Amino acid sequence: MTQHTVFAPNGRGPHLAALTALAAAVAVSLTGCFASAAPGDTSAPTPVASMAQPMPTGDGTLTIGVVVAFGGADAALGTASLAGAELAARDIDEAGGVGGKPLVVVPGDGTAGKAAASVSALAAKAVDALVGPNSEAAQGEVDSAAVAAGIPAVTAVGEAEAVDEGFTARLRSSDPTLAGTAFGAESYDAVVMIALAAKLAGDDGRASIAQFLPAVTSGTAQCSSYGACLDAITARVPIRYTGVTGQLSTAAGSTSAGTLALAGLAP
């Protein structure tokens, strides 16, 4: 299992930043295999029947900031994470995008000491959500800056999860120069989760994404790709995205490997 909130270059160990009044962490356990994206509809987003549809605050284009290390000991992990995010964006676009529009990925340097400034810069660019970082040293910076900016974030916690050769090959097709693929799958799943939250909310605004992120992995209809999840959403069935790294489930406070944590959610 893999986590997407904390990672250290050498001797990586799990670490979750303390929750603040504006941030609630929800962990998402992962296990399993990859299924390629299926075609999806391009109709207007459908809100979950049991949740109130938020007042739209987005601009109609989902923009995700990917805060990963550009240099130092974690550079290879940062490159793989960015490749995973870009691959997810490509698959989402091929399935019809979000609300019929392409997803935009904006990289930001998540190297320790630079991550907070990167989050602030991404906030100024009006990103709707964040993915990353992959460094334990930068996690506190990103958490605090994301909360201050009111941006929901999805980040790994712990060791990277092993994925099958099929996904690894697809990841390398996104960036043939990759030195490794660790955390590529976690970033892929994080981007898909954010896109599905926007679809469920019917809005790409930050508050809407934060509200609906937990619903992406807590429903009854299991789906392992963005396209398949869109089919379930169209049928008004609560989804449970299982993703590249496998079965996802909410487990607040989890620090086990194979976990994605959600930060900056409304209390």
Side-chain angles (χ1 to χ4, degrees), residues 61-67 104-107 118-119 121-130 149-152 204-206 209:
T61 298
L62 178 58
T63 303
I64 299 176
V66 181
V67 186
V104 177
V105 171
V106 183
S118 293
V119 171
L122 289 169
K125 293 179 180 179
V127 301
D128 302 304
L130 299 172
I151 307 175
D204 60 275
R206 296 172 182 175
I209 292 170

Side-chain angles (χ1 to χ4, degrees), residues 27 31 63 82-83 90 115 139 151 187 203 213 263 267:
T31 57
T63 303
L82 181 57
R90 188 174 73 192
Q139 185 57 45
I151 307 175
S187 287
D203 178 42
L213 263 173

